[in-house]
Amino acid sequence: MDDRTFRNAMGKFATGVTVVTTEFQGEAKGMTANAFMSVSLDPKLVVVSIGHKARMHDIVKQTGKFAVNILRRDQEELSRLFAGQLKEERPVSFDWVNGHPILPEALANILCNVHSTYVAGDHTLYFGEVTDILMKDEPGDPLLFFEGKYWSIGQ
Ligand code: FAD
Ligand code: NAD
């Protein structure tokens, strides 16, 4: 089977969009990821799947912690930035919470310590034990990803 067929099929599964962030050598680093899932309530675990070619893979391996920032619908540009799809670098302001850089306007920030990892093909699953959660009081719609494009609810 060719890669395009696989990606087209996986693209039929509509997801939200997250930016996985961590602190590395005193700086914030981020990577766009939609391979994110809630795993367990007791203990509270989530998982993100990170490709071995992504710099974030080695970084999270070293830092042992990450935050998952669930993007709101007006944050498509941040998704493109942290996927390396913008031509120019641009500054991003992070808030810092318990040593984690987080995106303050995200729908939710889920702070984790790496609980365990599982190498699966060309990706590694990073299971995170959740240590803190921040959420906005006001409601907000998520940024969605479907068929390789960004969408919002009701579109
Ligand atoms: P880099 O190339 O180092 O960083 C990515 C970009 O973020 C660069 O442009 C960099 O300048 C910018 N950046 C990083 N930190 C900062 C900062 N502090 N301030 C400003 N800019 C900064 N890949 C996966 O492995 N798993 C997934 O689940 C996944 N889901 C994706 C979902 C979508 C919708 C998209 C578009 C891409 C997805 N990707 C996923 C691909 C992944 O986002 C890219 O391959 C990414 O570029 C890999 O990043 P990297 O760790 O190599 O980081
Ligand atoms: P696309 O058509 O490549 O993505 C559709 C779906 O295919 C994604 O939602 C994901 O489920 C799957 N997918 C894509 N690339 C994958 C990979 N390398 N490993 C495992 N699953 C993958 O959408 P696009 O707009 O062309 O994507 C932009 C870029 O972001 C591409 O380079 C793509 O590879 C990357 N991406 C990677 C992942 C991932 O690693 N899990 C997920 C989404 C997008």
Side-chain angles (χ1 to χ4, degrees):
M1 187 196 310
D2 65 287
D3 292 357
R4 196 63 259 174
T5 302
F6 179 86
R7 283 160 64 161
N8 286 350
M10 297 308 128
K12 300 289 182 193
F13 185 60
T15 66
V17 182
T18 78
V19 173
V20 175
T21 50
T22 195
E23 178 271 331
F24 182 60
Q25 296 178 342
E27 287 184 12
K29 291 289 299 173
M31 187 197 94
T32 301
N34 71 341
F36 163 71
M37 186 172 77
S38 166
V39 173
S40 160
L41 264 182
D42 184 19
K44 296 194 172 43
L45 299 177
V46 297
V47 67
V48 289
S49 176
I50 303 185
H52 293 162
K53 287 188 186 149
R55 268 172 276 202
M56 189 56 105
H57 167 60
D58 288 333
I59 290 176
V60 174
K61 207 173 174 181
Q62 289 181 56
T63 64
K65 60 181 186 177
F66 61 88
V68 179
N69 303 266
I70 300 177
L71 297 188
R72 58 198 311 141
R73 80 167 168 196
D74 59 3
Q75 292 183 309
E76 180 179 330
E77 190 173 89
L78 277 183
S79 174
R80 292 186 189 281
L81 173 70
F82 288 109
Q85 293 174 338
L86 294 186
K87 285 205 181 106
E88 292 156 19
E89 301 273 311
R90 61 190 65 182
V92 174
S93 40
F94 294 90
D95 280 353
W96 288 82
V97 178
N98 297 337
H100 287 269
I102 59 161
L103 295 171
E105 302 307 327
L107 285 181
N109 314 100
I110 302 159
L111 281 53
C112 306
N113 288 328
V114 173
H115 169 275
S116 51
T117 60
Y118 184 85
V119 178
D122 57 12
H123 281 55
T124 292
L125 304 181
Y126 283 90
F127 292 86
E129 180 148 20
V130 179
T131 54
D132 291 288
I133 286 181
L134 288 84
M135 263 190 299
K136 289 274 170 295
D137 289 336
E138 70 267 23
D141 284 348
L143 180 62
L144 304 178
F145 194 66
F146 171 62
E147 292 186 336
K149 296 191 200 76
Y150 294 99
W151 302 81
S152 52
I153 286 173
Q155 196 180 354

